[in-house]
Amino acid sequence: MPGWPMLGCGMAPMQGGSLNRRRLLQGGAAIAACGVVWPATGAGRFPSRTVEYELDARPAVIELAGQPVRLLTYDGLFPGPLLRAREGERLRVRLINRLDEPTNLHFHGLHVSPAGNADNVFVEVQPGGSFTYELIVPPGYGGTFWYHPHRHGALARQLWRGLAGPLVIDPLSPPPALAAAEERILVFKDITVADGSPAPHRSADWARGKSGQLVLVNGEVQPRLRPREPLVRLRLINACNARMLLLAREDGKSLQVIAHDGHLLEAPLPLETVLLTPAQRLDLLLALDDAGPVTIVHKPYNRGAQREPSRTEPLFSVQPSTNAATPALPTRLTTLGGIDPGEVAVRRSFRMAMAFLAADGQGQLAPIEAQQGDLELWEITNVDTQDHVFHLHTWPFQVWRRDGVPAADPGWRDTINLVPGERVELLIPFRDFTGRSVFHCHIAEHGDAGMMGIIEVRGPGGQRAAGPSLDYGAALCRSG
Ligand code: C2O
Ligand code: CU
């Protein structure tokens, strides 16, 4: 790996002994030396059963805010139907393409193989064709996720026109603290309608990211939820192309965040406002009382390319049932293993502007080749004048530091926002899964326009995975 400073595994003092590559690769061991609790993923124990879905990608006319709109849908629904399985189960999804262009699926945030017929974004399903995906989420990696098309060069347009849906992987052992909570899944999607269709992209959209005038929640404008239980778990999914949602309660009380990007925090985190960027998920716990409905609003946020909304606007509200007695919030949800930065084997550094750039600013970042078993540190700096949303497929990461300061919330994530000038250091354990995958800006237009990088993780033998060329653009843009 010429050019990258290498930190040997044994360089820094470590908690509890050395974490060598072999131990990481053995799998099945519940606890690695650095204190991370790795779920056991021993082959042979899973899958316990298979859950099957069929998704029909097809145009459909859907009524949005009182007017019929020609969208692209899964099964004629907007958002698409919920896919749900349990950790360790095989999730089989047959995608049927009834569009007039190629498409495919990505299961955003899942820690599953990126190869073969798993979460392989290099697959292309032709019009009239179909493809069957099969995924097994290892125990410990359940949560709130979503699915959307991921054909390079067509992602932004297909997502904009309606193709997105929620995906929930239930844990093998659900936290008892959340047992009493009633669940609601909310998919946010913005749209501008022109002549009965989502307004087509204009050239400025590719630089700014396309925002819509209307923010829909599960396809509705400002819906009111009426849960039966006083304790509600909201699974929020931002499926917008580019719109950032700065969320708050209208009454000014704190939001109680219990998970980001599907991964539980140790305890509910009270926040007055929280930013939900494109592709991120946020689980909130809401304890209703007899003070009436709770309204969740979004506040003006300036992402550099756009400030929106112009003033605080309601998104949805939650109406308590009449005889609600206020439930207490749990104080403990899970235990997070921290990663020891002393274990870092490989350190990489690059920049984001409208592309991924080498650390010295000299040209495009080369495809990344990593070794299974390594803990890597990626230092990423946003050198642009607008926010960019970094997303890595397959391998969740922990944010170690922001601008050199240890991050306050070390939970696992798959998508993170960088404001202009910001520098983050991410710790990424490449423990499971080999193969080729991608990282990109999740402002969907930016990804299509070139903020897309390739990563290949090699197994112990060091061989490259078979598959498309590392030149992602050349491999996938040709069918245009
Ligand atoms: Cu939401 Cu590359 O994905
Ligand atoms: Cu971007």
Side-chain angles (χ1 to χ4, degrees):
M1 201 69 58
W4 301 114
M6 299 283 287
L7 299 179
C9 272
M11 268 181 60
M14 281 166 271
Q15 298 162 238
S18 81
L19 175 72
N20 62 39
R21 181 165 295 159
R22 180 138 27 109
R23 285 191 63 179
L24 269 177
L25 290 176
Q26 271 167 353
I31 299 181
C34 59
V36 185
V37 179
W38 296 111
T41 56
R45 288 182 52 206
F46 302 104
S48 47
R49 84 182 171 128
T50 299
V51 183
E52 299 196 52
Y53 290 94
E54 201 166 86
L55 287 180
D56 216 3
R58 59 178 162 93
V61 175
I62 305 274
E63 184 150 312
L64 299 180
Q67 54 175 327
V69 184
R70 284 184 303 274
L71 297 176
L72 303 184
T73 68
Y74 295 111
D75 295 356
L77 300 171
F78 176 78
L82 172 66
L83 306 183
R84 189 160 203 159
R86 193 171 287 279
E87 293 171 349
E89 289 177 348
R90 176 183 286 116
L91 173 61
R92 185 178 285 152
V93 183
R94 178 160 183 253
L95 172 69
I96 302 166
N97 183 3
R98 296 186 207 279
L99 310 176
D100 58 9
E101 58 182 318
T103 189
N104 64 4
L105 279 181
H106 169 48
F107 303 89
H108 182 114
L110 290 195
H111 182 53
V112 294
S113 167
N117 68 338
D119 189 22
N120 183 347
V121 293
F122 300 99
V123 163
E124 228 176 66
V125 186
Q126 299 303 319
S130 70
F131 188 84
T132 301
Y133 294 89
E134 286 193 347
L135 318 157
I136 301 172
V137 176
Y141 291 94
T144 308
F145 305 98
W146 62 300
Y147 58 94
H148 61 79
H150 212 293
R151 185 173 159 255
H152 189 49
L155 192 166
R157 278 179 289 115
Q158 292 186 356
L159 177 63
W160 173 249
R161 293 174 68 191
L163 291 173
L167 167 59
V168 171
I169 303 292
D170 291 303
L172 272 182
S173 25
L178 298 176
E182 183 170 336
E183 173 197 273
R184 292 301 166 103
I185 301 169
L186 300 174
V187 179
F188 301 110
K189 194 97 188 71
D190 61 348
I191 192 170
T192 299
V193 179
D195 299 326
S197 292
H201 277 72
R202 288 190 274 180
S203 57
D205 294 330
W206 298 101
R208 297 157 57 122
K210 195 165 180 62
S211 288
Q213 290 155 358
L214 198 58
V215 183
L216 300 163
V217 183
N218 291 346
E220 292 178 59
V221 180
Q222 294 173 28
R224 174 164 290 198
L225 317 180
R226 298 170 188 279
R228 289 174 308 276
E229 301 298 328
L231 189 64
V232 187
R233 175 187 192 159
L234 300 171
R235 296 180 186 262
L236 310 183
I237 302 167
N238 185 344
C240 298
N241 279 43
R243 182 183 277 269
M244 313 242 170
L245 298 166
L246 183 60
L247 303 173
R249 280 175 66 139
E250 191 174 47
D251 59 15
K253 291 185 185 159
S254 294
L255 296 167
Q256 300 288 336
V257 178
I258 57 166
H260 33 63
D261 289 352
H263 307 281
L264 280 181
L265 307 181
E266 295 205 309
L269 177 67
L271 291 174
E272 248 168 63
T273 59
V274 54
L275 186 67
L276 185 63
T277 74
Q280 284 186 327
R281 288 86 60 218
L282 201 61
D283 288 28
L284 303 177
L285 206 53
L286 199 58
L288 299 166
D289 51 33
D290 44 21
V294 174
T295 298
I296 306 293
V297 300
H298 60 137
K299 298 186 147 194
Y301 179 78
N302 187 350
R303 58 181 175 87
Q306 185 99 23
R307 181 182 181 272
E308 58 200 359
S310 52
R311 59 189 137 76
T312 298
E313 283 175 10
L315 276 172
F316 65 93
S317 60
V318 188
Q319 167 90 58
S321 62
T322 42
N323 49 0
T326 317
L329 287 174
T331 52
R332 190 100 202 133
L333 298 167
T334 187
T335 303
L336 284 180
I339 298 183
D340 181 357
E343 308 282 1
V344 165
V346 178
R347 194 186 166 98
R348 306 177 193 274
S349 183
F350 57 89
R351 301 178 182 191
M352 290 202 295
M354 281 304 288
F356 291 106
L357 304 167
D360 58 6
Q362 302 295 303
Q364 291 261 351
L365 181 69
I368 288 178
E369 295 181 10
Q371 185 68 49
Q372 188 190 16
D374 280 351
L375 174 64
E376 296 206 356
L377 187 155
W378 290 15
E379 179 196 57
I380 308 171
T381 309
N382 180 1
V383 295
D384 205 355
T385 53
Q386 62 171 308
D387 290 18
H388 290 291
V389 181
F390 177 82
H391 168 51
L392 172 64
H393 283 213
T394 313
W395 299 278
F397 52 78
Q398 287 193 358
V399 183
W400 178 35
R401 301 195 291 197
R402 284 180 178 267
D403 289 330
V405 179
D409 48 346
W412 295 95
R413 290 178 183 270
D414 54 63
T415 304
I416 185 176
N417 192 49
L418 281 83
V419 302
E422 192 170 26
R423 174 171 62 96
V424 295
E425 290 165 271
L426 311 179
L427 294 166
I428 315 169
F430 289 102
R431 188 231 179 203
D432 296 308
F433 306 122
T434 57
R436 196 166 288 155
S437 196
V438 296
F439 55 93
H440 57 94
C441 180
H442 220 297
I443 291 180
E445 288 73 21
H446 293 177
D448 275 351
M451 291 194 76
M452 176 74 65
I454 288 274
I455 172 165
E456 179 172 340
V457 177
R458 295 190 192 189
Q463 327 88 320
R464 284 190 165 178
S469 141
L470 281 179
D471 185 349
Y472 190 49
L476 290 182
C477 284
R478 55 178 148 64
S479 46

